[in-house]
Every structure is written in structure tokens, then in C-alpha cells.
Amino acid sequence: MRKRAQELLEASETSEEVRMQWLALAEEAAREGDYLLSEYAYKKALRLRVLW
């Protein structure tokens, strides 16, 4: 999951498709118990500023 997050960061697109990929990653991370990644991915999907 973290590798996929890194790939999404490198893509640096703001398209709806990338946003949906962030949401899917957030949900998957939450199911797996990686709440830090989940929170980060949700913020990226919502286009909020992420400080870390």
C-alpha cells in the first residue's frame, strides 16, 4: 500500500481518477489497520493540505 501511495505522489496529478485512487487506498489502509496511511490518503483525496 505504501508503495502505491508513493507512486500516486510521484504522479502529482489532480485528476478525478487519481483522487479516486487515493480514496480506494485510504479505505484499504483502514481495513488493514494502517490508520496513519489511511488518514493521509483521505486528506490527499479531499485535496486538503497535508503537513507530514
Side-chain angles (χ1 to χ4, degrees):
M1 286 184 295
R2 290 182 182 264
K3 183 178 180 182
R4 225 171 48 199
Q6 184 63 36
E7 291 169 357
L8 286 173
L9 282 173
E10 291 170 359
S12 69
E13 291 182 45
T14 58
S15 70
E16 191 65 24
E17 181 180 330
V18 171
R19 185 175 172 269
M20 295 307 289
Q21 289 177 5
W22 278 116
L23 282 173
L25 181 63
E27 291 174 8
E28 183 180 346
R31 280 193 306 271
E32 296 291 322
D34 190 343
Y35 299 110
L36 186 61
L37 179 58
S38 178
E39 180 183 354
Y40 180 83
Y42 272 123
K43 286 183 178 182
K44 293 295 283 186
L46 297 173
R47 297 183 179 122
L48 298 175
R49 186 172 178 201
V50 181
L51 301 176
W52 25 268

